Amino acid sequence: DIQMTQSPSSLSASVGDRVTITCQASQDISNYLNWYQQKPGKAPKLLIYDASNLETGVPSRFSGSGSGTDFTFTISSLQPEDIATYYCQQYDNLPMYTFGQGTKLEIK
Amino acid sequence: QVQLQESGPGLVKPSQTLSLTCTVSGGSISSGSYYWSWIRQPAGKGLEWIGRIYTSGSTNYNPSLKSRVTISVDTSKNQFSLKLSSVTAADTAVYYCASLAVGEHWFDPWGQGTLVTVSS
């Protein structure tokens, strides 16, 4: 099974800060990685697909990069509405899908 | 874009079968354009993919749940369903239905989720 390790598990940052979350796969998954945002009490929302593609309608301050085993999710300038938990999700070993354990982002 | 809505009992007794339905609106479940999935999330924890079904009825399940899971589709009602048998407290979670466009492997959109508690 492919394991996804997200770090950090929680993060506190100030408005305007650049925020980076990483996701590491236990084996090479090419660019088969997506990122979601989940606000409290809500369903996850797709932000980034195929490692670096911004979903339509998602603000450009969100970005993703990486391939192989190491991936990065970045918020270039943190906004108050970005407070949420962020998850990565891999799909290299179809038809199995696995998620990272999540990163809870808070405002400092 | 399609919209999804989960429904079903919020309380299930241990050892019984959990049954949920996802109603699809804004498009036909028979279009052949999507796989239909179930995902769950225990309180305060991460997301776990349960399984998916295609319009043809072809299914794929998470190996960790495969022995207890059945996903089915009812094209006449534009719905797909989840059954999870022999539930325990560990199956208490928010259950989401979600779609995967054919040829893509990200979940979008999602239903709002429904909390199922396993308790006597």
Side-chain angles (χ1 to χ4, degrees), chain A residues 34 36 38 55 87 95 97, chain B residues 41 49 52 96 105 107-108 111:
Chain A
N34 309 313
Y36 299 84
Q38 186 179 32
E55 172 70 345
Y87 292 94
Y97 303 91
Chain B
Q41 184 175 37
W49 177 72
R52 71 178 190 183
Y96 295 99
H105 297 286
F107 301 98
D108 181 49

Side-chain angles (χ1 to χ4, degrees), chain A residues 34 36 38 42-44 46 49-50 55 87 89 91 94-97, chain B residues 41 45-47 49 52 60 62-63 96 100 105-108 110-111:
Chain A
N34 309 313
Y36 299 84
Q38 186 179 32
K42 300 293 187 183
L46 176 70
Y49 63 93
D50 286 349
E55 172 70 345
Y87 292 94
Q89 172 243 318
Y91 61 94
L94 293 171
M96 180 67 183
Y97 303 91
Chain B
Q41 184 175 37
K45 296 188 178 181
L47 299 157
W49 177 72
R52 71 178 190 183
N60 303 104
N62 186 325
Y96 295 99
L100 295 142
H105 297 286
W106 42 91
F107 301 98
D108 181 49
W110 299 57

